[in-house]
Amino acid sequence: MMDGAAAARFPEASARALGDENLQAALRLLGEGFQARRTDAVERFAAFEDARDAAVAAKTRTLRHLDRHLETFEARCREHGGVVHWAETPADARQIVLELLTDRGVRVLSKGKTMVAEEIGLNGFLEANGIEVIETDLGEYIIQLAEEAPSHIIVPAIHKTMPQVADLFRQHHDQTGAELFPRRTPADLVAEARAVLRGRFLEADAGLTGANFLVAETGSSVIVTNEGNGDLTQTLPQLHIVLATIEKVVPTLADGAAILRVLARSATGQDMSAYTTVSTGPRRPSDVDGPAEYHVVLVDNGRSRLLGTPAEEVLRCIRCGACMNHCPVYGAVGGHAYGWVYPGPIGAALTPALLGVETARHLPNASSLCGRCEEVCPMRIPLPKIFRYWREQEHAARLNSGRMRLGLAIWGWLAARPRLYRLATGAAMRVLSRLAGRSRRFRSLFLASGWTQSRDFPAPAGRTFLNSWKQRS
Amino acid sequence: MSGARERILTRVRERLGSAPEEPAPSREPREVRSGDVGEFCRRLQAAGASVERIAEDAVPQAVARYLAERNLAARVKVSPALANLGWAEEPLLETAVGVADLADSAAVMPAALGVAETGSLVHASAEDNPTTNHFLPDHAIAVVAEETVCADLEAAFSAASGPVMPRTICLITGPSRTGDIEQRIELGAHGPRTLHVLVTAPVPERGPTSAT
Amino acid sequence: MSVPGSESGRGRVGLFVTCLADLFRPSVAWASVRLLEQAGFEVTVPDRQTCCGQPAYNAGDLPTARRVARGILDAFEPFDYVVAPSGSCAGMLRLHLGRLFESEPDTATRAEQLARRTHELTEFLVDVAGWTGVAASFPHRVTYHDSCSSLREMAVRDQPRALMAQVQGLELVELGDRDVCCGFGGTFCVKYPDISTKMVSDKTAAIAATGAETVLAGDLGCLLNIAGRLAREGRPVACRHVAEVLAGTNGTDPIVPVGP
């Protein structure tokens, strides 16, 4: 399970990530992979900007009356025979799931991909309580074998290269007959995982999925997948548990349609994912398959506290991953460096809210504020603005470094006094310019080692513009 | 955990304050227009499915031919809803009606609707239409009537959800796939490796003087 | 048409010099003055300007940012236009200044008025002035780096290209990753130097791949970063602000002269 404290060690973790050649090889694929595919998908769909506006409007409307939509969801879900549970904290949510399983004697749980389960640390908790958890999403399965955390919200094992996956399969599947698979191409590995996991779907006594969204008017949960694992997980076992945070609800199926129109295009560059499944209650009395019980665990874990704050717009997120696919910082260090469940720009905006600014303060700082995330975000979440908000909280709580605070104070004092500023900077630039000599650069410079460790520091011209300009006029 | 519900809802209300009531401007379903069936077929193919347009009474032959052309065993699990399509006309095709299991390599199942906007099939679970059959077999063969093709997602949800909401509504857009290894798209992750769609047209009513 | 002063009387421009041009590369400011005068504007350089306040604003230090911003409001009140040879500083004035004064309605109004009058240099020359009088020659193969603030905050993309197309002999080769950040990001580059280095190294590799002799940009922050990395890598590519080339002030050395 992910330890939230790891988010505080972003600088060390990112340095390690930059030196990890396998990771760098995997991350290099982003440009021609998800970035190029999204660009194509957007170009194919002339109404993309309108679709974005509609999705944003749907979600904004929802959040404004979130309480009512949650109540409607609960009532409709119950009408269809489902049971709704409410959990304020990760511990509450874990306990609810555990009791549902133990009360029914469940030993084996199959699982579709759900980031909320990562957020509440579900797997480790269930395993400690004697329940075997089978991850069925291929990426989640790979990192389960590797005993790692996901490094991407839709491609959990994006940090692994094909040879690394082949190695994992060799370690875990040999002796099961699967050693006959050639393991030469991604297709070989997909076929092997399929063969190994097939039987396991049927072994599970319960299936747990997340929800891309919940629909209030019908009391339904909706999952969007490509593999079909989520559907097997929620169809075959007798018990289906849905884990969803409270902001996932939308009023109507039509609002869901507005989200679907931008989700896959932004995520994988598909016009539509392979499977979009609306589940409503347990199997009907006359149905020949489907679960006998349907439970939805609504998790708050800090969402309600975000409402009404400048960071509340993160609650519009539909978890497409476009922000991380396009973020140059994520592209440099990958997801694990962020130290918690949600990496990349959305993580930098959300993690401080969930773990506290003190723990997660590096994440919103580790951004050049380039804005590429906001540009591709289908829900138009102003991510750089939210990074600045967390930086403001950090500064106000005096959590940033003393050196930074002192530097800003001196600079600000000077910058508000133009005449003095002119004198001081004029003198400093004159000295620097002379020191630079004929090469017009510094290879190292006192107090600027962060710059000069990898860059020359260009010499200033010598005389500042404003000092020269005064003489012209 | 008792009281969690009230505490969460109370906190949400406190945070939101009173927001004005707003009309729901979600989009209305678009009307069907000519060309939607073609659009549906084109998009389904773009999503990796194979599509064949046939007469509604030619399903057994099309299934037998499809399996033979791909060198697959002439054996299918048939969803109960399609039990009466005249399977006996294909004596070499072995059929069993019911819910698919791991032994079934191919299954034939109905789709309630097609969606032109996305090229999706819409599965709505029912007593004669198990969900499992869409996901467990290696090869899925879906039958959808061309007159059920609707325009967009809104129309599909509206048609599939009423008057009684089924347990499962699934929009199926191509065969199963994954991009989890090095972002390379591979078909057949957990669900079907292939999806073949038979788009059926009504057979013209035959007059009493028809030659056959 | 392109004779300096031939279109005088089109309005008063207050030049926002930017702290980096003021301190490091005055030739950018001189070039800006020249271009604005060529386009027929009366240029004033208010003496009381220092910086746009971004170092404090982006570090979350709003009180300091506010203090610096008040000076800007006072200094640039009297002009029809405020023009900066930087998308980043112009973006700060246009999009962020108002936010600093949410609790002071009068000051917020002044900030909004300033925002409406603020422009990035190339955007101003093309979109506001409609100027097509570039009289410069630069017979080199160049590539152009779009700064993130120009691209995303100021919608500046086509304007510098429209102006560069008027420069005699200039051949533009576009970067393969032209919408990707160079890794500068103000204090980001010194707070997270390893990540910044990775980003700027990707950028210099992309620049080298174009075969350009010179890389141009509209923001000195990016240029100092890129020039510093190119110099460290020993890549023989010169860096200049696009205004310098457009104004024909090519005698100035590039940012860090090419060579050891």
Side-chain angles (χ1 to χ4, degrees):
Chain A
M1 180 204 154
M2 282 195 177
D3 166 14
R9 296 189 292 272
F10 177 84
E12 300 80 0
S14 58
R16 267 198 310 279
L18 285 163
D20 180 338
E21 282 176 25
N22 275 317
L23 173 66
Q24 293 299 324
L27 291 171
R28 265 195 296 277
L29 302 172
L30 275 171
E32 286 174 12
F34 287 125
Q35 290 178 14
R37 282 183 214 145
R38 177 197 172 272
T39 304
D40 290 349
V42 168
E43 277 170 9
R44 279 197 304 271
F45 184 40
F48 185 70
E49 293 305 316
D50 293 341
R52 268 171 104 174
D53 290 338
V56 171
K59 201 76 192 170
T60 305
R61 243 177 27 244
T62 308
L63 291 172
R64 215 160 279 162
H65 297 282
L66 184 60
D67 54 333
R68 227 185 40 217
H69 299 307
L70 286 168
E71 288 174 312
T72 308
F73 172 79
E74 181 185 42
R76 296 286 178 278
C77 181
R78 201 177 284 159
E79 282 167 24
H80 286 109
V83 182
V84 176
H85 309 259
W86 301 72
E88 278 187 290
T89 65
D92 293 350
R94 289 194 298 261
Q95 196 59 39
I96 290 168
V97 173
L98 179 66
E99 279 171 21
L100 285 171
L101 300 177
T102 49
D103 287 355
R104 290 156 185 79
V106 170
R107 309 293 316 193
V108 181
L109 173 76
S110 63
K111 223 169 131 243
K113 192 166 74 58
T114 144
M115 297 315 292
V116 186
E118 299 288 338
E119 186 180 324
I120 66 170
L122 186 66
N123 284 18
F125 177 77
L126 293 181
E127 277 157 12
N129 283 281
I131 288 164
E132 186 188 355
V133 178
I134 305 167
E135 292 289 355
T136 62
D137 172 85
L138 178 57
E140 287 283 344
Y141 176 69
I142 291 167
I143 58 164
Q144 190 184 27
L145 294 182
E147 297 180 23
E148 290 176 13
S151 70
H152 190 288
I153 61 170
I154 64 161
V155 199
I158 196 167
H159 58 285
K160 292 261 181 259
T161 60
M162 197 202 65
Q164 288 180 303
V165 177
D167 276 346
L168 276 170
F169 282 9
R170 192 167 303 126
Q171 286 164 35
H172 289 86
H173 292 170
D174 284 2
Q175 300 108 35
T176 64
E179 56 268 32
L180 298 175
F181 282 91
R183 296 172 186 153
R184 276 191 299 264
T185 63
D188 295 338
L189 297 169
V190 171
E192 178 173 345
R194 175 187 175 95
V196 170
L197 283 169
R198 290 250 98 184
R200 308 234 63 195
F201 280 109
L202 294 166
E203 276 175 55
D205 315 301
L208 184 136
T209 67
N212 288 78
F213 49 91
L214 304 170
V215 182
E217 68 171 353
T218 55
S220 315
S221 59
V222 180
I223 61 166
V224 178
T225 72
N226 271 315
E227 299 184 3
N229 65 308
D231 288 278
L232 291 170
T233 301
Q234 62 185 6
T235 303
L236 299 177
Q238 285 304 297
L239 168 65
H240 177 201
I241 303 172
V242 179
L243 209 50
T245 45
I246 55 172
E247 83 281 12
K248 290 283 168 220
V249 69
V250 295
T252 64
L253 279 166
D255 292 317
I259 289 173
L260 289 173
R261 228 165 246 128
V262 296
L263 177 57
R265 290 183 166 100
S266 302
T268 54
Q270 292 169 279
D271 295 342
M272 187 82 178
S273 300
Y275 303 112
T276 298
T277 304
V278 183
S279 297
T280 313
R283 67 200 283 177
R284 308 290 180 257
S286 53
D287 279 352
V288 285
D289 65 354
E293 284 190 79
Y294 175 76
H295 293 257
V296 180
V297 184
L298 291 174
V299 184
D300 182 347
N301 194 25
R303 268 62 172 191
S304 58
R305 278 199 309 276
L306 267 176
L307 289 166
T309 73
E312 73 174 341
E313 290 176 85
V314 298
L315 298 176
R316 281 207 302 270
C317 177
I318 55 173
R319 304 285 188 266
C320 68
C323 61
M324 57 199 77
N325 292 342
H326 291 78
C327 174
V329 175
Y330 180 93
V333 303
H336 285 157
Y338 290 79
W340 203 54
V341 185
Y342 303 100
I346 189 62
L350 184 59
T351 308
L354 303 185
L355 296 184
V357 186
E358 190 160 356
T359 302
R361 65 179 198 87
H362 278 295
L363 310 187
N365 276 292
S367 161
S368 63
L369 301 176
C370 78
R372 208 177 180 209
C373 49
E374 179 175 1
E375 185 175 75
V376 297
C377 174
M379 303 306 286
R380 302 194 195 281
I381 299 170
L383 291 151
K385 183 180 132 192
I386 296 170
F387 302 160
R388 283 196 189 90
Y389 168 71
W390 292 123
R391 294 177 188 192
E392 286 154 21
Q393 301 298 302
E394 178 199 17
H395 186 83
R398 310 181 77 84
L399 295 167
N400 47 357
S401 80
R403 201 171 125 185
M404 169 69 84
R405 300 180 71 85
L406 182 67
L408 283 172
I410 294 172
W411 169 86
W413 186 85
L414 213 51
R417 287 164 180 76
R419 218 164 280 160
L420 203 59
Y421 174 91
R422 207 80 58 229
L423 273 173
T425 55
M429 292 309 122
R430 238 183 348 264
V431 172
L432 267 182
S433 179
R434 262 184 224 143
L435 286 174
R438 293 228 320 258
S439 77
R440 307 314 297 151
R441 80 195 69 174
F442 296 91
R443 296 192 69 88
S444 70
L445 193 62
F446 180 59
L447 285 179
S449 61
W451 180 286
T452 55
Q453 70 174 42
S454 62
R455 279 163 288 230
D456 289 354
F457 190 86
R463 188 129 193 240
T464 68
F465 174 76
L466 280 149
N467 286 338
S468 311
W469 176 262
K470 261 193 288 190
Q471 300 199 330
R472 166 180 137 155
S473 33
Chain B
M1 278 140 267
S2 62
R5 177 186 188 277
E6 280 62 41
R7 284 195 298 275
I8 293 170
L9 288 174
T10 304
R11 200 156 47 231
V12 168
R13 286 186 197 109
E14 282 168 5
R15 287 285 177 175
L16 288 175
S18 60
E21 202 56 44
E22 292 164 85
S26 56
R27 196 168 119 169
E28 291 297 315
R30 173 171 74 71
E31 291 296 319
V32 176
R33 59 185 175 219
S34 71
D36 273 348
V37 176
E39 177 76 357
F40 164 70
C41 295
R42 193 184 63 73
R43 288 191 166 273
L44 197 45
Q45 282 169 312
S50 50
V51 177
E52 204 179 326
R53 297 184 67 169
I54 59 169
E56 64 184 357
D57 58 1
V59 171
Q61 296 90 310
V63 170
R65 195 171 56 240
Y66 176 79
L67 295 174
E69 279 168 3
R70 275 153 195 79
N71 252 336
L72 299 169
R75 197 164 51 232
V76 282
K77 182 62 64 78
V78 176
S79 290
L82 299 183
N84 301 317
L85 287 186
W87 297 100
E89 288 168 37
E90 287 294 322
L92 296 180
L93 181 66
E94 193 183 315
T95 57
V97 174
V99 182
D101 57 40
L102 285 180
D104 291 309
S105 128
V108 186
M109 71 293 287
L113 306 161
V115 190
E117 179 192 357
T118 56
S120 306
L121 300 166
V122 181
H123 158 74
S125 64
E127 55 188 69
D128 57 356
N129 191 10
T131 301
T132 310
N133 294 24
H134 279 278
F135 291 96
L136 213 48
D138 283 354
H139 305 282
I141 304 168
V143 181
V144 62
E146 63 175 34
E147 62 271 23
T148 68
V149 171
C150 62
D152 57 13
L153 288 170
E154 284 80 356
F157 281 134
S158 162
S161 59
V164 179
M165 189 76 184
R167 147 70 191 172
T168 300
I169 297 171
C170 184
L171 277 62
I172 297 169
T173 317
S176 156
R177 68 199 56 208
T178 183
D180 272 349
I181 299 176
E182 296 194 345
Q183 302 176 45
R184 299 242 298 256
I185 304 300
E186 302 294 343
L187 298 185
H190 291 298
R193 299 167 200 267
T194 65
L195 172 64
H196 187 61
V197 181
L198 302 173
V199 181
T200 63
V203 176
E205 295 230 359
R206 292 170 191 176
T209 57
S210 165
T212 51
Chain C
M1 177 91 175
S2 62
V3 180
S6 66
E7 299 174 34
S8 58
R10 298 191 60 188
R12 291 185 69 205
V13 169
L15 180 70
F16 188 85
V17 176
T18 79
C19 60
L20 290 179
D22 176 36
L23 305 184
F24 280 84
R25 201 155 167 90
S27 53
V28 174
W30 289 115
S32 305
V33 172
R34 183 162 174 176
L35 290 167
L36 291 164
E37 287 181 346
Q38 282 178 345
F41 294 86
E42 184 190 334
V43 182
T44 305
V45 181
D47 191 33
R48 290 165 64 193
Q49 61 179 304
T50 54
C51 169
C52 68
Q54 271 193 91
Y57 181 68
N58 289 337
D61 183 354
L62 296 191
T64 301
R66 221 168 267 136
R67 206 171 306 136
V68 177
R70 279 185 221 283
I72 300 170
L73 290 177
D74 293 342
F76 286 91
E77 202 104 76
F79 303 100
D80 302 320
Y81 307 102
V82 178
V83 176
S86 158
S88 175
C89 308
M92 176 69 194
L93 302 193
R94 188 188 281 178
L95 299 174
H96 302 285
L97 227 49
R99 231 202 101 207
L100 289 172
F101 300 104
E102 274 166 356
S103 55
E104 298 174 42
D106 291 351
T107 319
T109 307
R110 290 175 65 206
E112 278 154 31
Q113 284 163 353
L114 180 76
R116 276 197 290 276
R117 291 181 281 124
T118 298
H119 301 275
E120 185 272 344
L121 177 68
T122 62
E123 173 231 330
F124 180 76
L125 291 171
V126 173
D127 296 347
V128 179
W131 185 61
T132 54
V134 176
S137 158
F138 196 72
H140 300 282
R141 189 180 172 94
V142 309
T143 189
Y144 189 81
H145 168 69
D146 292 284
S147 82
C148 300
S149 350
S150 289
L151 202 56
R152 304 203 173 88
E153 293 196 322
M154 301 299 289
V156 172
R157 192 187 62 178
D158 300 338
Q159 299 92 330
R161 290 173 175 80
L163 295 168
M164 282 187 289
Q166 299 169 45
V167 176
Q168 231 174 35
L170 184 150
E171 182 203 349
L172 177 67
V173 190
E174 293 288 2
L175 281 169
D177 61 347
R178 58 189 258 194
D179 67 333
V180 181
C181 178
C182 71
F184 174 63
T187 52
F188 167 78
C189 70
V190 288
K191 281 202 286 192
Y192 300 93
D194 299 339
I195 301 172
S196 173
T197 298
K198 163 82 169 105
M199 288 162 68
V200 72
S201 306
D202 287 350
K203 185 58 72 181
T204 52
I207 290 167
T210 63
E213 303 153 66
T214 299
V215 53
L216 302 178
D219 274 83
L220 260 181
C222 312
L223 280 167
L224 294 173
N225 180 43
I226 291 169
R229 184 63 189 167
L230 285 168
R232 181 62 58 90
E233 291 174 332
R235 295 189 197 263
V237 184
C239 293
R240 293 176 187 276
H241 193 285
V242 67
E244 297 171 326
V245 169
L246 296 174
T249 53
N250 306 333
T252 326
D253 278 338
I255 305 166
V256 186
V258 174

